[in-house]
Amino acid sequence: MDNRPIGVFDSGLGGLTAVKKLKEVLPGEDIVYFGDTGRVPYGGRSRETIIRYTQQDIAFLLSMDIKAIIVACGTATTNALDYVKDSCPVPIYGVADPAAKRAAEITKNKKVGLIGTEASIRSGAYERLICRYDSDIEMTGVGCPLIVPMVEEGRISRDDKILYHTVEEYLTPLKEKGVDTLIMGCTHYPIISDVIGDIMGEGVALIDPGAEAAKLMKEELAALELLNDQERQALSVYYVSDVVYEFTKTASIFLGENVDDITIRIDIEHY
Ligand code: DGL
């Protein structure tokens, strides 16, 4: 048993997709979330910068005495996880491996699409991972740099025409390719999964990497005997590196609960 919280981080709002699933599959676990809203997006930055930001994000979470970490950012996972995982003193899980595994399990025509940040697509990490599960799968990746800023701006409505047309332009080559499975390889994208689903159509399965990582976390904590056995209601607290309001208004809509009073600003450069 270990009653310390689980740490989750992302460059901004995207990691809330993992938080939402964690609350469902592990309702007794406390969560400490960090969204690096002062430095989002990570996806257009160099690998060196993404590694440095990831190290600082992990250092902050460790200062909160957490028992395990989900790197709930596709970009940090694909560019920095291999570099930081050996020195991390608590179990740490990324979002790419469980998502690649799930995609390999469910594709029927072995054509898998991947959307992600430029840094994630450039890393080639998803191709390497999926190949380990099924080397016959053909993966087609598309970088979608405009989606993260739009989601961070709160443009998440299914009726938002600018969002729809932007996403449609990115997804058209994947539709033409005939993929039957689409990995939403940046954790911001499942926040607009209804828009992505409308465009791809019912026949295409959408993979949510944050949710897959949350399910993996449940299995791993059980195997390591690190689950929480406390009786009281679980607590979540959210930390951000810039103005709180910009984060809380969209986070509250996505999570379906008001997070105004449990969101705190910190100085990430301090870590
Ligand atoms: N949610 C992050 C990801 O999964 C967004 C990356 C960014 O900040 O550009 O890749």
Side-chain angles (χ1 to χ4, degrees), residues 1 18-19 29 48 50 86 88 105 163 170 179 242 255 261:
M1 295 310 157
V19 169
E29 297 290 337
E48 295 68 38
I50 296 166
D86 290 342
C88 187
E105 278 163 8
L163 176 70
Y170 287 135
V179 303
D242 210 315
L255 292 172
D261 294 339

Side-chain angles (χ1 to χ4, degrees), residues 10-11 14 40-43 72-75 117 120 148 185-188:
D10 177 47
S11 59
V40 68
Y42 284 9
C73 173
T75 308
T117 64
S120 282
V148 168
C186 164
T187 53
H188 280 70

